[in-house]
Amino acid sequence: MNLPPKPSQAPAGMGVPPRPPVNAGAPLTTRPAGGPSAAPQPSDRRTMVVGRGISLQGTVTDAERLVVEGTIESQMMQAAELFISQSGVFKGEVEVEDAEIAGTFDGTLTARGNLVIRGTGKVLGVARCRRLQVEEGGQLSGRMEMLSEGSNSQPSYAPAPLPVGEE
């Protein structure tokens, strides 16, 4: 008599594939059990990855780290960190603590801390930051505003008034 094998004795390659370990890839985590007052560690940050070939339009909330490998179009987005890979494109407005641009950003970018434009990066439009680093080959086209140490997101200077009759 030829009985089918028991599930625990199923030949390799048959049946349900094993689940990947819980820590595989970049995990999406929530705030530590200590609540909002407990500062998250870099590895504990809620991360959203927009993968290569993916397009997203709209608003993302509660992402602490945003990684763009595809395309995002957004009216206003806030996060602690923004990373745009070489293949990534972000169009719109974003306010972050720190940003690293290796792809293309087109719009208004406010980095209350560091803005790093890699050699393959392009920033078009308005960029505001406290500290700026541009690698050789990196491009910045538009208006650059440096934030003062005491401000949250206001430029350290007042923009020049427009001549009368021009807007």
Side-chain angles (χ1 to χ4, degrees):
M1 187 160 157
N2 202 0
L3 294 174
K6 293 181 181 175
S8 63
Q9 297 172 342
M14 294 190 72
V16 178
R19 287 183 123 177
V22 173
N23 294 332
L28 295 176
T29 59
T30 57
R31 290 197 183 274
S37 62
Q41 298 301 314
S43 62
D44 291 340
R45 291 213 159 154
R46 290 185 307 262
T47 301
M48 178 176 168
V49 178
V50 177
R52 189 179 307 239
I54 303 291
S55 293
L56 174 71
Q57 290 184 336
T59 303
V60 174
T61 58
D62 296 330
E64 293 177 328
R65 185 168 190 267
L66 179 61
V67 177
V68 182
E69 298 170 349
T71 302
I72 290 185
E73 290 186 41
S74 176
Q75 293 290 327
M76 180 55 175
M77 192 170 293
Q78 293 183 335
E81 296 176 37
L82 171 67
F83 174 73
I84 302 176
S85 73
Q86 284 184 317
S87 62
V89 176
F90 189 110
K91 295 179 182 181
E93 185 174 352
V94 68
E95 188 171 318
V96 295
E97 280 301 315
D98 298 306
E100 182 177 337
I101 313 298
T104 302
F105 181 93
D106 185 358
T108 301
L109 167 62
T110 302
R112 293 180 298 274
N114 299 314
L115 170 58
V116 178
I117 303 173
R118 297 291 177 203
T120 56
K122 293 180 185 178
V123 175
L124 313 167
V126 178
R128 298 180 186 109
C129 67
R130 200 160 275 134
R131 290 172 296 281
L132 174 67
Q133 177 185 349
V134 182
E135 289 182 349
E136 184 175 344
Q139 298 177 25
L140 177 61
S141 179
R143 189 173 78 211
M144 181 73 223
E145 298 175 4
M146 298 305 291
L147 302 176
S148 65
E149 290 299 322
S151 70
N152 267 347
S153 61
Q154 296 299 317
S156 59
Y157 66 92
L162 292 173
V164 176
E166 292 185 29
E167 287 188 33

